[in-house]
C-alpha cells in the first residue's frame, strides 16, 4: 500500500487538503493547523486522545504491542544494562555517553546536589504533617527565586546547567522534605556516593550511627528510577511543556509537572495502589474488590490498572513484577500484600470486563510493594516517581526550547455558556 500523503476533508461544500505527517515509528498524523482558517471549524478532542501536541525524538511507545523505547533503546535493555544517571544523560542528549562524557556528567550532577542553606528556612515554614508532594511542588517552584535573575533561557549552556541542577537537587530536596516531616535533621549529600545511593543515604542516615545500606536496595531503587524516567507526552510532561511554551523558567515548569504528577490518575496511583492493597487486606477479599471495580456506581477503580496508551501489558509493569519477587527475597521481606497483588492481577486478567477494555497492570501496580520493602513511606512513593521523571521533564523542556515550531500552548474550547445578555442591576434580580 502506498504511503498516505494527505487526506481530504469536506467541510461546508469545500474540500480541504490536509497533509499527513509520518513519524520514524508509529502511526501517521493528519496536520490540522490550517483547519480553522480554511473551514472556520476547530477540532474537539477532550483529553487529547487523538492529538499529537509536538514533535519529539525522546521516547516512543507502541501501546498495542507493549513497547517502550528511550531514544530508540528498549526499556528492557536499559533496565538490564544501564543506570539511572546514564539513562538521564541519554534522554537529555540523545546518545549514550562515552566513559569521558559520563564522568563529566556525573561530576556535574554530583557537584550541583547541595541546596541553598536558605532553603531550610523555607522548608521549616511547612506544617510538620504536610504531604511531601505539596512540599516538593513548593520547593521546586522556589528554586526559581534562587536562579531566576541570572538565567537566560536563550543560552543553550544555561539551559543545560538548569537541567543538571534540577536532576541534581530534586533528590536532596525530596529527602529534606521527608526528614522534616519525621523530625530528623536534614542530611547533606555525600559526594563520594553515586546518585541513587546518595539519595538513599539522605533519606535514611541518622547522625548517631553509620548507615549499613544493602546494595540490593540501591540497585532496586535505581532500576525503578530508570523505568519511571520518561513516558513521552503524559499529563505531567505535557504540563511542563505547556508552562515551558510560555517562556517561563525551567524550575517553575518542572514544579508544575510535579503538581500534575500528584493526581491519583497519574503518578499518585502508586500511593493509591498500596492503600488499596492494604484495604483489600487478604487474598479472600480479591473477588469483591474486582466486583466493586466493575460497578460504575461504586466510584472505585483498580488502582495500578489501565493506561491511556497501553492496551497490552505495560512493559515496565512486567519488569517490576519480576523484580518485586527478587527484591523481597533478597531483602528477606515477606509481605502478604504481594500475594494480594498477584491474586488481584490474576483475577482481573481473567475477567471479561478487564479483557474487553484491555486493562492491564501498569507501572504503578507493583512499584509500591518494592518501595515499601525498601523502607520508603507510602506518602513518599509519588515523590520517588518525581525524582525519576525529572530526567524526562528536563529533556522535554530542553527539546522544546530548541524546537523552531514551539508556540505558546493555547487550546480552544466549545463554549457552552449563556448567550450575550445585558447586565441586570442587583435590586431588579
Ligand atoms: N478499574 C476499573 N475500570 C477501569 C479502570 C480501572 N483501573 N481503568 C479504566 N477503566 C474503565 C473505565 O471505567 C472505562 O469503562 P467504560 O468504557 O465502561 O466507560 C474504560 O475502562 C476506559 O477507561 P478511561 O477512563 O476512559 O481510560 P483513560 O485512558 O481515560 O484513563 C487511566 C486511563 C490510567 C486514568 C485509567 O485507566 C485509571 O484511572 N486507572 C487507575 C489509575 C492508575 O493506575 N493510574 C496510573 C497510570 S500509569 C502511571 C502514570 O502514567 O502515571
Amino acid at each position: 500500500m502506498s504511503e498516505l500523503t494527505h487526506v481530504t476533508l469536506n467541510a461546508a461544500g469545500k474540500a480541504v487538503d490536509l497533509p499527513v505527517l509520518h513519524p520514524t515509528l508509529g502511526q501517521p498524523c493528519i496536520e490540522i493547523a490550517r483547519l480553522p482558517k480554511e473551514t472556520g471549524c476547530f477540532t474537539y478532542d477532550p483529553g487529547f486522545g487523538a492529538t499529537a501536541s509536538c514533535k519529539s525524538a525522546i521516547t516512543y511507545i507502541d501501546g498495542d504491542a507493549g513497547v517502550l523505547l528511550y531514544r530508540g533503546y528498549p526499556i528492557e535493555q536499559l533496565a538490564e544494562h544501564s543506570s539511572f544517571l546514564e539513562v538521564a544523560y541519554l534522554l537529555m542528549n540523545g546518545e549514550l555517553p562515552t566513559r569521558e562524557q559520563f564522568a563529566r556528567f556525573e561530576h556535574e550532577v554530583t557537584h550541583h546536589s547541595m541546596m541553598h542553606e536558605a532553603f531550610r528556612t523555607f522548608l521549616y515554614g511547612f506544617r510538620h504533617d504536610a504531604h511531601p508532594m505539596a512540599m516538593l511542588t513548593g520547593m521546586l517552584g522556589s528554586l526559581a527565586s534562587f536562579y531566576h535573575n541570572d538565567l537566560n533561557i536563550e543560552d543553550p549552556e544555561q539551559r543545560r546547567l538548569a537541567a543538571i541542577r534540577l536532576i541534581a537537587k530534586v533528590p536532596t530536596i525530596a529527602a529534606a522534605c521527608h526528614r522534616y516531616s519525621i523530625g530528623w535533621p536534614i542530611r547533606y549529600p555525600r559526594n563520594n556516593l553515586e546518585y541513587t545511593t546518595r539519595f538513599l543515604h539522605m533519606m535514611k542516615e541518622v547522625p548517631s550511627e553509620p548507615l549499613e545500606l544493602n546494595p540490593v536496595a540501591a540497585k532496586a531503587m535505581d532500576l525503578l528510577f530508570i523505568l519511571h524516567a520518561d513516558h513521552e507526552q503524559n499529563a505531567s510532561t505535557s504540563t511542563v511543556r505547556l508552562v515551558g511554551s510560555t517562556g517561563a523558567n525551567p524550575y517553575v515548569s518542572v514544579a508544575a509537572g510535579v503538581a500534575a504528577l500528584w493526581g491519583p490518575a497519574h503518578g499518585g496511583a502508586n500511593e493509591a495502589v498500596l492503600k488499596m492493597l492494604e484495604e483489600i487486606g487478604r487474598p479472600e477479599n480479591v473477588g469483591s474488590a474486582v466486583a466493586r471495580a466493575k460497578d460504575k456506581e461504586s466510584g472505585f477503580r483498580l488502582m495500578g490498572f489501565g493506561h491511556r496508551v497501553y492496551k497490552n501489558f505495560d512493559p515496565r509493569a512486567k519488569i517490576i513484577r519480576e523484580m518485586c519477587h527478587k527484591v523481597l527475597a533478597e531483602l528477606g521481606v515477606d509481605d502478604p500484600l504481594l500475594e494480594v497483588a498477584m491474586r488481584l492481577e490474576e483475577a482481573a486478567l481473567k475477567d471479561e470486563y478487564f479483557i474487553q477494555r484491555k486493562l492491564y497492570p501498569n507501572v504503578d501496580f507493583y512499584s509500591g510493594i518494592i518501595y515499601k520493602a525498601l523502607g520508603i513511606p507510602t506518602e513518599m512513593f509519588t515523590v520517588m516517581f518525581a525524582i525519576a521523571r525529572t530526567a524526562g521533564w528536563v529533556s522535554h523542556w530542553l527539546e522544546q526550547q530548541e524546537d523552531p515550531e514551539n508556540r505558546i500552548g493555547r487550546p480552544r474550547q466549545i463554549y457552552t455558556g449563556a448567550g450575550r445578555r445585558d447586565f441586570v442591576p442587583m435590586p431588579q434580580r
Side-chain angles (χ1 to χ4, degrees):
M1 207 171 73
S2 64
E3 195 178 74
L4 194 64
T5 54
H6 68 275
V7 295
T8 308
L9 184 95
N10 289 308
K14 190 179 167 201
V16 185
D17 252 2
L18 298 170
V20 175
L21 309 180
H22 289 271
T24 45
L25 294 173
Q27 289 157 294
C29 251
I30 303 167
E31 191 179 344
I32 54 155
R34 288 189 295 126
L35 210 58
K37 215 182 250 174
E38 305 218 359
T39 65
C41 294
F42 292 106
T43 53
Y44 179 55
D45 180 22
F48 311 114
T51 302
S53 60
C54 62
K55 291 177 185 159
S56 178
I58 300 174
T59 290
Y60 172 72
I61 302 172
D62 180 337
D64 293 324
V67 167
L68 170 61
L69 311 176
Y70 291 166
R71 298 285 189 180
Y73 296 103
I75 192 67
E76 294 81 2
Q77 291 183 21
L78 293 168
E80 194 177 342
H81 303 295
S82 191
S83 68
F84 171 69
L85 212 55
E86 187 181 42
V87 165
Y89 181 98
L90 171 70
L91 291 169
M92 263 177 74
N93 298 287
E95 295 298 335
L96 287 167
T98 61
R99 200 179 291 278
E100 292 72 31
Q101 286 167 332
F102 183 71
R104 182 171 170 232
F105 183 68
E106 187 172 37
H107 179 87
E108 283 190 299
V109 170
T110 303
H111 289 86
H112 281 287
S113 58
M114 292 271 287
M115 47 180 207
H116 193 289
E117 203 58 13
F119 248 71
R120 276 171 179 268
T121 330
F122 186 78
L123 183 68
Y124 293 160
F126 286 108
R127 273 175 63 120
H128 69 282
D129 57 354
H131 194 287
M133 282 297 279
M135 291 196 251
L136 189 66
T137 312
M139 297 279 280
L140 284 187
S142 79
L143 267 184
S145 66
F146 290 92
Y147 300 109
H148 185 69
N149 291 346
D150 59 359
L151 175 65
N152 171 14
I153 61 167
E154 301 299 320
D155 175 356
E157 180 50 24
Q158 290 198 40
R159 291 202 294 265
R160 196 189 67 85
L161 187 58
I164 298 259
R165 278 195 178 120
L166 275 157
I167 294 174
K169 289 185 201 304
V170 167
T172 312
I173 295 171
C177 293
H178 166 61
R179 296 179 76 96
Y180 171 70
S181 68
I182 56 168
W184 284 7
I186 286 165
R187 186 104 206 88
Y188 293 108
R190 295 231 249 120
N191 287 358
N192 60 331
L193 302 173
E194 62 74 44
Y195 189 85
T196 306
T197 312
R198 183 164 67 236
F199 166 65
L200 283 172
H201 269 256
M202 284 190 284
M203 281 286 288
K204 290 168 174 281
E205 200 168 34
V206 289
S208 41
E209 56 189 84
L211 175 70
E212 299 283 336
L213 192 68
N214 188 334
V216 172
K219 179 86 191 95
M221 182 68 86
D222 201 69
L223 183 51
L224 286 171
F225 282 175
I226 292 175
L227 300 179
H228 284 92
D230 194 44
H231 215 227
E232 51 119 307
Q233 310 310 321
N234 56 85
S236 57
T237 303
S238 297
T239 303
V240 171
R241 278 185 177 264
L242 191 61
V243 178
S245 77
T246 68
N249 70 62
Y251 305 104
V252 288
S253 303
V254 168
V258 174
L261 185 74
W262 193 5
H266 192 8
N270 55 14
E271 186 176 339
V273 169
L274 205 82
K275 287 186 177 150
M276 175 190 75
L277 293 175
E278 279 166 353
E279 260 172 50
I280 296 173
R282 290 202 304 268
E284 306 86 89
N285 300 335
V286 157
S288 59
V290 171
R292 206 148 66 89
K294 295 193 294 183
D295 174 10
K296 303 279 189 224
E297 300 297 306
S298 72
F300 171 73
R301 282 186 169 200
L302 277 195
M303 298 314 287
F305 253 80
H307 198 275
R308 169 61 62 80
V309 184
Y310 292 118
K311 302 301 168 198
N312 195 329
F313 265 97
D314 178 338
R316 304 166 300 173
K318 271 195 198 164
I319 299 171
I320 294 182
R321 186 183 197 276
E322 220 171 273
M323 172 189 170
C324 200
H325 291 278
K326 231 168 106 190
V327 171
L328 264 60
E330 286 182 19
L331 293 177
V333 174
D334 178 20
D335 188 343
L337 290 188
L338 180 58
E339 181 64 22
V340 177
M342 280 171 13
R343 291 282 190 87
L344 189 58
E345 178 187 358
E346 198 182 49
L349 289 178
K350 274 200 270 186
D351 193 290
E352 221 17 66
Y353 173 97
F354 291 87
I355 294 171
Q356 262 179 16
R357 290 170 180 76
K358 299 187 176 168
L359 300 169
Y360 290 87
N362 60 47
V363 67
D364 289 324
F365 191 68
Y366 284 102
S367 64
I369 297 178
I370 303 181
Y371 286 137
K372 187 174 167 227
L374 300 181
I376 304 293
T378 315
E379 66 278 9
M380 282 295 285
F381 288 3
T382 314
V383 174
M384 301 295 110
F385 195 155
I387 294 173
R389 189 53 59 87
T390 299
W393 290 331
V394 298
S395 304
H396 282 272
W397 180 80
L398 288 170
E399 184 181 64
Q400 175 186 47
Q401 301 306 310
E402 286 176 7
D403 182 354
E405 291 181 11
N406 177 38
R407 299 172 73 201
I408 184 168
R410 189 11 177 130
R412 303 303 296 246
Q413 64 168 10
I414 296 183
Y415 175 68
T416 58
R420 188 205 175 280
R421 49 187 170 164
D422 290 323
F423 181 80
V424 179
M426 205 178 279
Q428 288 148 40
R429 281 176 221 159

